[in-house]
């Protein structure tokens, strides 16, 4: 986060008490909140056990609440059995089978509604289709699909039969897809001919074919949903249309009763070093936190229409689209496309047309839409919205205030929710009927979440406004279980820094004089571009894979809309190009990274230099590169810099 932002947040002293419309009506009111906090404080295991018994259907009740014998590989409810899909669908059939589960709108404007009964039938049919292909519990299935109901059907069907899904965001390239398929050792890919995004068709099947042509030996079958209607080649013996896979299949499918610790999904996310890591979540614990946070934080009531704008390719689309709201029996909106198609009013039109009551999006989207002016949302009836949320990155107070004033009509609470792929569900957040909010602060940890801020030695930072490492002191059910295939990396990344005493989130944070948490940003080399995590190393490796590139260093630079943008310094083989030749190569490299990783990783700026600034020990001086990227005055010590002349090249002035 930019120093400037930290400064402005430090000056932030506006406070907004819970809205009158919420007080007394929310699922969690002040009294209930106090009770929950007291119970969690007194006996955290008993606290979670009671909630797990109350909120989940157990085929075989658990006796063991938390198995710490192999800590920090914690196991929750480990002798219990349940099924996630049963808990999201079957449990609602008797009382609200006809209730709308999903309102879907495609980018071209097509709308579909699925009741809980419809969704259950679709999931069962597809589960049977998967079984007919020989997919069994424990198999890995990669889902590479547009934001259409079938993506949720595919996830739920995997959960129903115990296959472990790994959703790969449709914006990732063929190479990224291949790496994830290979790391997971998947047997099946589920994709579509194409999805609609930004007025174009995203060629998902084509990317799948490319990925499979360059490896992925473990893949046996590819299921292809017809969505865009493109004419695509189907490979004999390998590719099956979705409609053929479900043809003749029964709309009933007995769920597999799985151990609570059975892996539900892997989701790849960036770390500071090396390749993306497969974050592994377990059925029981994940579902508990997913459901509870939908009820507590989004206060989902029977007549709510909940729209979380995240794609199912991200964890937010898992917990607040595909699983949590369904477990809570809510009606959700799913939208396939971009927020600016056909114009910048699309989000607000969807809110109006589908009578959205709870809206959850990323600060980057808010900042982007804010730029179009107040009159755009003003043209739509947003009066049903009663609660707003944000996730993924720090929100600047200006965007927060706009969100509150223009979208929330000054009377909706805003929940700024801090969490991570690894945490499974929201951890630090206001509760809409309880918390007085401050623009830019995610406020307080939820009951049962023991978040703290510690210094280098692991001691709690008690000075207000002094930054430190954000840590979680006690295990919680929805936490990641391990990194797929690399438990050592799990231990090293999240636990070793403080001798395995607590979970290290990788963020820095501070607490103000009132005990409010403020997230300051990452402490490692992870970038947060438009709310998406990218490792600097990943982008660097992609650049270095280009034949002209010898070395690359990537840093984040503050960006008005995206939060951070990617700035790359590149050392080339041979002469450093100038003028048109340089421009051409910049374009080529940007396209290259986009192809290697995906458009989200395309650098905004690329600068060529004869070499990179390094310390005596050979470490790239990233802080210096960040300063230069921002165009700020250099205050770092550059006395150790061997070739002072390259500063001009890095600055782009020579
Ligand atoms: O740096 C924090 C930031 O996003 C990171 C997690 O990224 P990811 O696993 O991709 O999950 C994003 C969606 C849950 C965190 O380590 N982050 C997330 N939420 C917030 C945030 N930073 C500030 N405020 C938030 N509300």
């Amino acid at each position: 986060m930019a120093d400037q932002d930290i400064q402005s947040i430090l000056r932030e002293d506006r406070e907004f008490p819970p809205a009158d419309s919420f007080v007394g009506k929310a699922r969690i009111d002040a009294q209930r909140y106090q009770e929950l906090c007291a119970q969690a404080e007194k006996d955290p295991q008993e606290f979670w056990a009671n909630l797990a018994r109350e909120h989940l259907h157990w085929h075989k009740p658990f006796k063991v609440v938390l198995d710490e014998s192999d800590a920090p590989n914690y196991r929750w409810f480990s002798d219990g059995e349940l099924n996630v899909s049963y808990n999201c669908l079957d449990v609602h059939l008797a009382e609200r089978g006809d209730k709308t589960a999903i309102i879907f709108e495609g980018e071209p404007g097509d709308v579909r509604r699925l009741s809980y009964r419809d969704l259950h039938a679709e999931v069962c049919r597809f589960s049977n289709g998967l079984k007919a292909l020989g997919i069994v519990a424990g198999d890995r299935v990669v889902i590479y699909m547009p934001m259409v109901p079938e993506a949720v059907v595919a996830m739920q069907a995997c959960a129903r039969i115990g296959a472990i899904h790994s959703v790969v965001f449709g914006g990732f390239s063929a190479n990224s897809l291949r790496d994830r398929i290979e790391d997971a050792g998947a047997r099946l890919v589920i994709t579509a001919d194409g999805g609609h995004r930004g007025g174009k068709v995203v060629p998902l099947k084509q990317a799948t074919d490319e990925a499979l042509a360059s490896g992925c030996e473990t893949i046996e079958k590819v299921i292809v949903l017809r969505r865009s209607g493109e004419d695509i080649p189907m490979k004999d013996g390998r590719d099956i249309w979705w409609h053929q896979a479900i043809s003749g299949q029964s709309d009933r499918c007995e769920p597999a009763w799985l151990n609570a610790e059975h892996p539900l999904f892997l989701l790849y996310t960036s770390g500071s070093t090396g390749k993306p890591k497969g974050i592994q979540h377990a059925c029981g614990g994940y579902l508990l936190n997913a459901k509870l946070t939908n009820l507590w934080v989004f206060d989902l009531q029977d007549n709510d229409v909940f729209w979380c704008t995240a794609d199912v390719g991200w964890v937010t689309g898992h917990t607040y689209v595909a699983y949590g709201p369904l477990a809570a029996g809510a009606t959700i909106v799913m939208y396939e496309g971009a927020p600016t198609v056909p114009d910048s009013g699309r989000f607000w039109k969807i809110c109006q047309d589908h009578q959205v009551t709870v809206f959850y999006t990323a600060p980057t989207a808010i900042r982007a839409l804010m730029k179009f002016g107040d009159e755009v949302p003003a043209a739509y009836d947003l009066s049903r919205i009663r609660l707003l949320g944000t996730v993924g990155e720090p929100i600047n107070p200006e965007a927060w205030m706009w969100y509150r004033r223009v979208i929330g009509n000054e009377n909706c609470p805003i929940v700024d929710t801090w969490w991570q792929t690894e945490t499974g569900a929201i951890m630090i957040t206001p509760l809409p009927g309880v918390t007085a909010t401050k623009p830019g602060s995610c406020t307080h940890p939820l009951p049962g979440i023991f978040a703290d801020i510690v210094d280098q030695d692991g001691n709690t930072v008690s000075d207000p406004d002094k930054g430190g490492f954000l840590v979680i002191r006690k295990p919680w059910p929805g936490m990641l279980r391990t990194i797929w295939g690399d438990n050592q990396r799990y231990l090293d990344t999240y636990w070793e820094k403080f001798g395995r005493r607590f979970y290290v989130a990788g963020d820095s944070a501070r607490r103000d004089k009132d005990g409010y948490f403020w997230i300051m940003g990452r402490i490692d080399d992870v970038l947060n571009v438009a709310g998406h995590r990218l490792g600097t190393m990943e982008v660097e490796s992609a650049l270095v894979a280009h034949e002209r590139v010898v070395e690359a260093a990537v840093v984040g630079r503050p960006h008005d809309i995206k939060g951070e943008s990617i700035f790359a310094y590149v050392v080339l083989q041979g002469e450093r190009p100038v003028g048109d030749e340089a421009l051409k190569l910049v374009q080529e490299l940007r396209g290259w990274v986009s192809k290697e990783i995906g458009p989200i990783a395309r650098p905004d700026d690329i600068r060529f230099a004869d070499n990179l600034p390094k310390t005596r020990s050979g470490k790239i001086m990233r802080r210096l590169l960040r300063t230069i990227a921002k165009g700020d005055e250099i205050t770092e010590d550059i006395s150790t810099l061997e070739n002072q002349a390259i500063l001009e090249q890095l600055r782009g002035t020579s």
Side-chain angles (χ1 to χ4, degrees):
M1 200 178 183
D3 297 346
Q4 213 182 331
D5 287 344
I6 294 175
Q7 288 303 321
S8 67
I9 276 176
L10 279 173
R11 283 199 305 270
E12 182 57 62
D13 51 13
R14 285 170 287 203
E15 220 181 289
F16 297 90
D20 291 343
S21 53
F22 262 84
V23 176
K25 287 195 211 131
R27 281 182 180 273
I28 306 291
D29 60 12
Q31 192 193 340
R32 178 81 183 120
Y33 174 66
Q34 295 303 341
E35 281 166 18
L36 287 169
C37 289
Q39 287 163 9
E41 206 52 62
K42 188 164 157 246
D43 187 343
Q45 290 194 34
E46 191 55 25
F47 169 80
W48 290 117
N50 287 339
L51 291 166
R53 287 188 196 105
E54 181 190 345
H55 287 277
L56 300 183
H57 168 90
W58 293 90
H59 180 69
K60 178 176 167 231
F62 58 87
K63 291 207 184 71
V64 180
V65 180
L66 173 63
D67 175 357
E68 300 181 275
S69 59
D70 204 16
N73 288 107
Y74 293 99
R75 297 163 59 81
W76 284 90
F77 320 123
S78 57
D79 58 347
E81 281 178 14
L82 82 173
N83 181 279
V84 168
S85 163
Y86 184 93
N87 271 282
C88 292
L89 302 172
D90 306 50
V91 293
H92 306 306
L93 292 184
E95 274 174 35
R96 30 174 124 76
D98 294 326
K99 178 173 175 176
T100 303
I102 300 180
I103 305 172
F104 165 74
E105 184 166 314
E107 194 181 76
D110 48 321
V111 172
R112 263 164 73 196
R113 283 191 160 69
L114 283 91
S115 67
Y116 271 92
R117 202 180 312 287
D118 299 335
L119 185 60
H120 177 261
E122 293 292 333
V123 169
C124 286
R125 260 194 287 273
F126 195 67
S127 302
N128 289 324
L130 292 177
K131 282 191 192 171
L133 292 178
I135 301 297
V136 296
D139 283 346
R140 274 81 62 206
V141 171
V142 163
I143 300 177
Y144 185 58
M145 291 185 79
M147 238 340 240
V148 293
E150 284 80 2
V152 173
V153 170
M155 294 162 82
Q156 287 281 346
C158 287
R160 195 162 189 91
I161 67 171
I164 306 165
H165 64 67
S166 182
V167 184
V168 176
F169 173 54
F172 278 123
S173 68
N175 286 346
S176 298
L177 175 64
R178 181 201 54 217
D179 292 349
R180 286 158 174 77
I181 290 173
E182 291 191 339
D183 190 80
R187 290 183 66 195
L188 173 73
V189 180
I190 306 171
T191 187
D193 49 359
H196 299 280
R197 175 110 199 151
K200 299 196 198 100
V201 171
V202 185
L204 295 166
K205 172 62 163 57
Q206 190 187 318
T208 306
D209 286 342
E210 271 174 48
L212 299 196
S214 62
C216 307
E217 300 295 317
T218 51
I219 293 293
E220 295 162 30
K221 299 280 180 202
V222 177
I223 298 182
V224 188
L225 175 76
R226 192 177 283 298
R227 164 67 189 148
S228 63
E230 302 305 281
D231 192 15
I232 49 152
M234 295 287 280
K235 190 168 170 193
D236 260 357
R238 187 196 72 182
D239 300 352
I240 310 144
W241 286 107
W242 175 292
H243 50 267
Q244 284 165 350
I246 59 171
S247 156
Q249 297 295 349
S250 160
D251 58 6
R252 282 167 180 260
C253 174
E254 176 68 11
W257 299 114
L258 302 163
N259 184 278
E261 279 296 308
H262 184 80
L264 176 62
F265 64 83
L266 312 177
L267 187 58
Y268 285 83
T269 189
S270 299
S272 50
T273 53
K275 55 180 185 158
K277 36 195 184 182
I279 303 299
Q280 181 179 321
H281 280 285
C283 292
Y286 169 81
L287 189 66
L288 179 63
N289 282 137
K291 180 173 178 184
L292 286 176
T293 50
N294 274 274
L295 294 173
W296 291 356
V297 181
F298 296 114
D299 189 49
L300 293 180
Q301 311 272 353
D302 204 37
N303 51 0
D304 272 318
V305 177
F306 177 39
W307 185 19
C308 161
T309 66
D311 190 281
V312 288
W314 310 108
V315 74
T316 311
H318 285 56
T319 310
Y320 300 100
V321 179
Y323 289 114
L326 298 180
T331 298
I332 60 166
V333 170
M334 274 182 91
Y335 170 57
E336 178 187 29
T340 47
V341 174
D343 56 50
S344 55
R346 187 64 183 267
F347 268 17
W348 318 127
K349 184 166 186 326
I350 293 173
C351 286
Q352 167 188 277
D353 291 355
H354 303 303
Q355 311 204 325
V356 169
T357 59
V358 180
F359 181 70
Y360 187 36
T361 196
T364 198
I366 299 169
R367 286 191 293 263
L369 295 172
M370 187 171 127
K371 289 236 145 88
F372 294 103
D374 298 7
E375 55 290 357
V376 180
Y380 299 94
D381 176 8
L382 303 178
S383 60
R384 293 209 169 229
I385 295 180
R386 64 182 197 98
L387 174 58
L388 296 169
T390 71
V391 59
E393 51 188 314
I395 182 163
N396 47 315
E398 191 197 350
W400 195 101
M401 291 303 293
W402 182 85
Y403 200 32
R404 179 182 148 81
R405 180 173 58 80
V406 179
I407 308 305
N409 195 24
E410 313 262 9
N411 58 21
C412 297
I414 298 181
V415 289
D416 174 348
T417 62
W418 177 88
W419 60 295
Q420 310 177 291
T421 305
E422 292 86 342
T423 68
I426 295 170
M427 304 285 279
I428 309 181
T429 177
L431 286 167
V434 179
T435 317
T437 50
K438 301 186 186 189
S441 167
C442 54
T443 75
H444 305 292
L446 284 170
I449 303 300
F450 295 86
D452 199 359
I453 296 168
V454 300
D455 63 19
Q456 274 294 352
D457 305 318
N459 299 317
T460 296
V461 173
S462 39
D463 286 0
D465 296 328
K466 198 159 168 277
F469 300 90
L470 179 60
V471 299
I472 314 291
R473 288 188 168 275
K474 292 193 167 100
W476 67 102
M479 67 194 298
L480 79 164
R481 296 304 191 256
T482 185
I483 292 173
W484 179 256
D486 198 350
N487 197 52
Q488 191 57 45
R489 192 171 173 197
Y490 165 75
L491 300 173
D492 293 344
T493 310
Y494 305 107
W495 297 95
E496 292 304 351
K497 183 163 180 65
F498 298 109
R500 300 195 178 183
R501 281 186 293 153
F502 22 73
Y503 169 85
V504 185
D507 281 353
S508 59
R510 62 181 183 86
R511 239 176 320 216
D512 69 15
K513 59 182 188 336
D514 304 320
Y516 280 56
F517 282 71
W518 299 77
I519 306 297
M520 293 159 71
R522 299 286 307 184
I523 45 174
D524 49 19
D525 290 327
V526 171
L527 305 174
N528 192 330
V529 180
H532 301 316
R533 243 158 94 168
L534 282 169
T536 49
M537 270 274 289
E538 268 173 273
V539 186
E540 287 162 8
S541 325
L543 282 165
V544 175
H546 187 278
E547 56 178 12
R548 291 278 320 263
V549 178
V550 176
E551 202 180 8
V554 165
V555 297
R557 155 187 164 153
H559 185 279
D560 274 1
I561 291 176
K562 295 194 276 191
E564 252 182 325
S565 72
I566 300 177
F567 201 112
Y569 299 90
V570 169
V571 179
L572 296 168
Q573 208 136 44
E575 280 289 290
R576 193 166 59 91
V578 286
D580 283 352
E581 202 200 326
L583 285 178
K584 220 175 117 215
L585 191 57
V586 164
Q587 288 313 329
E588 184 177 325
L589 291 177
R590 295 179 74 219
W592 172 265
V593 175
S594 184
K595 189 162 170 353
E596 287 287 303
I597 305 176
I600 49 167
R602 183 190 291 131
D604 283 54
D605 299 271
I606 296 182
R607 236 169 242 173
F608 301 121
D610 292 335
N611 46 52
L612 296 175
K614 297 205 178 134
T615 60
R616 287 237 171 84
S617 61
K619 265 191 88 167
I620 293 174
M621 298 165 81
R622 285 178 188 279
R623 239 163 63 111
L624 173 66
L625 291 178
R626 273 194 285 269
T627 305
I628 297 173
K630 276 201 277 179
D632 284 356
E633 197 74 39
I634 294 175
T635 51
E636 286 79 9
D637 177 12
I638 49 168
S639 55
T640 55
L641 199 60
E642 273 172 39
N643 179 1
Q644 300 267 344
I646 63 154
L647 279 183
E648 294 309 311
Q649 297 176 5
L650 297 168
R651 282 205 187 101
T653 49
S654 90

